[in-house]
Amino acid sequence: MFALAWYAVLYVRTVYELGGVYPALRVPFYVIYTVAPVGLCLAGVQYALATLKNVTSDDIYLSFEKKDEYEQPVTQEI
């Protein structure tokens, strides 16, 4: 995930060097595109925390705080 964030940073740097600006907002393109690498870095941290929790715990976790749970199948006795 962090590799993908690095490629997003390289893309944002390229957009910065091109110097485009949204005409109506007068905001540079790179400011808006910065959201992608930040979000990918945060996702990488979340995956790393979930991996750490799964390695150090006997249970299975979907995220650092959310435990994987499922319902037991309902069986009817006849």
Side-chain angles (χ1 to χ4, degrees), residues 10-75:
L10 295 177
Y11 180 72
V12 170
R13 188 179 74 184
T14 302
V15 171
Y16 173 77
E17 290 171 355
L18 292 174
V21 175
Y22 287 107
L25 299 174
R26 296 183 183 165
V27 175
F29 288 141
Y30 77 91
V31 172
I32 304 300
Y33 291 167
T34 304
V35 173
V38 169
L40 288 168
C41 283
L42 291 174
V45 169
Q46 183 68 25
Y47 286 138
L49 288 173
T51 302
L52 179 67
K53 185 72 170 188
N54 282 317
V55 168
T56 60
S57 176
D58 291 335
D59 296 326
I60 298 173
Y61 285 84
L62 298 175
S63 69
F64 191 71
E65 297 176 347
K66 177 70 175 158
K67 187 176 178 181
D68 187 21
E69 299 174 351
Y70 60 93
E71 295 181 14
Q72 296 291 335
V74 178
T75 58

